[in-house]
Amino acid sequence: MTLNSFMPVKLITGAGCVRASAKELAKLGKTCLIVTGKSAARKSGALQDVTDTLDGNGQKWLLFDEIGQNPKLTDCMAAARKAIEAGADFILGIGGGSALDAAKCIAVLAANPGLTQQQLYAFDWASKPLKIVAVGTTAGTGSEITCVSVLSDHELGVKKPLVSDAFYPTLALVDPELTYSVPRHITACTGMDVFCHSVEAYWNRNHQPVCDALAVHALRLVLENL
């Protein structure tokens, strides 16, 4: 049995980890596009943590807060145009899976002005994506450490995943306190997402002992706490 693994994301966890990671953020560039939904990033305090930290570093930032559930490619394109105009060096997503998945796509589009939908899905990218920072505010999706970006075609009513090692964030910041403002029913739903992902990982035909141990531990946490 082989135990191959590839997890290139620098993961920093713990209460207050966003503000404590000022030096890590400072390494990524002078200008940042922050990608969020309309309200969750503000309610959780994550947006304030991020903007205060960037301001303290003397880094410029601009906000795109129009990402909804099941992010649309058209919204990602609009955000990318904003990033290009500002000369953004990196993209920072705050939120659940939708905002983080969108941030990954935006990082590609911002690095490749004029990229079409066909070129995006064909991985016909002349330049690699901008650096990505992921600040998670919910449990369940794991998007802050994955190489997957799921976008929606609302006209066709389908989701289209993009999978590329280039989507691994440079930095993932996971502060459990940012989940405290999540409504009760959303906490339950995202907790069940953790449960389902753990079962899928354990039953996956490509499973291996390291992943098995993590999956079992996650299942215990869900069953004991949810």
Side-chain angles (χ1 to χ4, degrees), residues 1-214:
M1 173 181 287
T2 60
L3 294 174
N4 299 337
S5 64
F6 180 63
M7 181 47 63
V9 181
K10 182 163 189 175
L11 174 64
I12 299 176
T13 68
C17 68
V18 175
R19 294 177 185 269
S21 300
K23 290 183 179 179
E24 296 293 336
L25 292 170
K27 299 174 185 177
L28 301 180
K30 297 179 179 179
T31 305
C32 166
L33 176 72
I34 301 172
V35 178
T36 74
K38 282 295 184 184
S39 61
R42 291 181 173 87
K43 290 179 180 177
S44 68
L47 181 59
Q48 194 67 54
D49 285 350
V50 166
T51 56
D52 285 352
T53 304
L54 294 174
D55 288 341
N57 284 342
Q59 292 167 291
K60 297 179 181 178
W61 57 269
L62 61 160
L63 177 66
F64 186 89
D65 61 357
E66 299 176 27
I67 300 300
Q69 291 184 351
N70 302 315
K72 297 182 291 186
L73 179 58
T74 52
D75 290 338
C76 293
M77 288 179 167
R81 288 193 292 270
K82 196 169 183 178
I84 292 168
E85 291 169 3
D89 300 302
F90 63 104
I91 307 296
L92 191 151
I94 305 174
S98 294
L100 301 186
D101 283 4
K104 296 171 185 177
C105 177
I106 293 163
V108 175
L109 297 171
N112 295 274
L115 195 71
T116 66
Q117 179 175 347
Q118 290 74 23
Q119 290 173 315
L120 174 67
Y121 280 98
F123 300 96
D124 184 13
W125 312 340
S127 301
K128 63 181 182 181
L130 300 184
K131 293 178 181 177
I132 303 162
V133 178
V135 179
T137 59
T138 69
T141 71
S143 185
E144 64 272 8
I145 58 168
T146 72
C147 61
V148 182
S149 174
V150 181
L151 305 176
S152 293
D153 187 323
H154 288 247
E155 292 183 3
L156 296 178
V158 296
K159 292 184 178 182
K160 296 181 178 180
L162 279 163
V163 182
S164 170
D165 285 351
F167 282 145
Y168 280 117
T170 300
L171 179 65
L173 304 175
V174 180
D175 181 344
E177 293 187 348
L178 299 181
T179 67
Y180 291 176
S181 61
V182 176
R184 183 181 178 88
H185 72 285
I186 300 296
T187 297
C189 290
T190 57
M192 285 306 300
D193 206 9
V194 174
F195 182 88
C196 292
H197 283 163
S198 301
V199 171
E200 289 167 355
Y202 193 81
W203 281 348
N204 188 289
R205 70 180 66 185
N206 296 315
H207 78 109
Q208 43 110 319
V210 174
C211 293
D212 288 351
L214 294 171

